[in-house]
Amino acid sequence: MNLGEKNAVPVLLYLFHRVEDSLHGQPAIVLFDEAWVMFGNKVCSPKVKDILKTFRKKNCAVIMATQSLSDAKNSDIMDVLIESCLTKMFLANPAARQDIPSALYRSFGLNEKEIEIIATAIPKRDYYIVSPDGRRLVQLAIQKKALAFLGISDKESIHRIKELEEIHGDAWTDFWLKEYLKKGRAA
């Protein structure tokens, strides 16, 4: 996507085509990470809309991940996101009670109590799930050692991990774990 629409759109459309051609009824999952990029694209968003409506018939689950509810809400496919994405997972967000985020959560069908749950949830541990089977706050029971690797996404930690890998090769994990636990980052 960093190469601009001129390069990205043809590649995405080709990938969509290849994935669709590969679906013959076998169970499959298609993951769109950073889906916000496709929400705002006039060529890709209609294709994503079609995928959301048709891949279920091909025994394919579609997972869309975005950190921006506003991009989803302001997209041309918001109606299909609400209708076709029956299960939604919301991350902890201390700002959820504020006016603009709160309105975004309400547009996804959440009420004040649910927004409060999201606002008080613990980041990287608590997730609020909305599905046809119910609504509930869940916790991933990830132990400290696993969280040291699975819960890292900030630039400084990633940079440090790369440094340790350059210095220690395959043994970088031992050094990272010691640093991580020493800082008391794992709750």
Side-chain angles (χ1 to χ4, degrees):
M1 295 309 293
N2 291 337
L3 297 176
E5 282 194 25
K6 185 175 109 177
N7 296 306
V9 170
V11 170
L12 286 171
L13 292 176
Y14 174 74
L15 291 172
F16 293 155
H17 174 73
R18 291 297 305 245
V19 169
E20 192 165 6
D21 278 354
S22 72
L23 299 175
H24 302 290
Q26 75 284 11
I29 295 176
V30 173
L31 171 64
F32 293 106
D33 194 18
E34 302 297 346
W36 62 270
V37 173
M38 290 168 268
F39 293 154
N41 185 285
K42 297 296 182 200
V43 176
C44 292
S45 71
K47 187 61 185 169
V48 171
K49 187 174 190 172
D50 180 60
I51 286 170
L52 289 171
K53 289 182 171 187
T54 61
F55 274 28
R56 183 178 14 199
K57 296 174 198 164
K58 298 177 182 196
N59 202 19
C60 180
V62 177
I63 300 172
M64 303 187 84
T66 184
Q67 294 184 28
S68 176
L69 292 178
S70 62
D71 287 332
K73 183 178 184 314
N74 296 329
S75 74
D76 294 338
I77 65 170
M78 178 62 173
D79 57 334
V80 177
L81 291 172
I82 297 297
E83 293 170 2
S84 297
C85 299
L86 302 180
T87 300
K88 297 167 190 69
M89 179 184 296
F90 297 94
L91 305 178
N93 181 0
R97 290 186 210 100
Q98 296 173 5
D99 290 344
I100 293 172
S102 180
L104 288 170
Y105 286 113
R106 282 193 301 281
S107 71
F108 279 87
L110 300 182
N111 60 40
E112 293 305 317
K113 176 67 176 162
E114 293 170 315
I115 294 168
E116 179 67 21
I117 290 169
I118 291 169
T120 57
I122 298 170
K124 296 186 179 182
R125 188 185 83 182
D126 295 340
Y127 302 86
Y128 190 70
I129 309 292
V130 175
S131 79
D133 296 326
R135 297 164 177 248
R136 122 176 244 128
L137 185 70
V138 299
Q139 294 179 344
L140 294 181
I142 299 174
Q143 300 299 318
K144 290 180 182 182
K145 288 181 181 178
L147 190 60
F149 297 97
L150 298 174
I152 297 303
S153 60
D154 62 286
K155 290 179 183 181
E156 292 152 2
S157 296
I158 291 170
H159 178 72
R160 181 61 182 149
I161 287 170
K162 288 178 182 178
E163 286 179 342
L164 290 172
E165 187 177 21
E166 285 179 23
I167 297 167
H168 303 289
D170 290 342
W172 72 268
T173 56
D174 297 329
F175 291 91
W176 170 250
L177 189 58
K178 285 177 189 172
E179 284 185 21
Y180 183 88
L181 296 175
K182 184 177 180 182
K183 290 179 183 178
R185 295 164 89 175

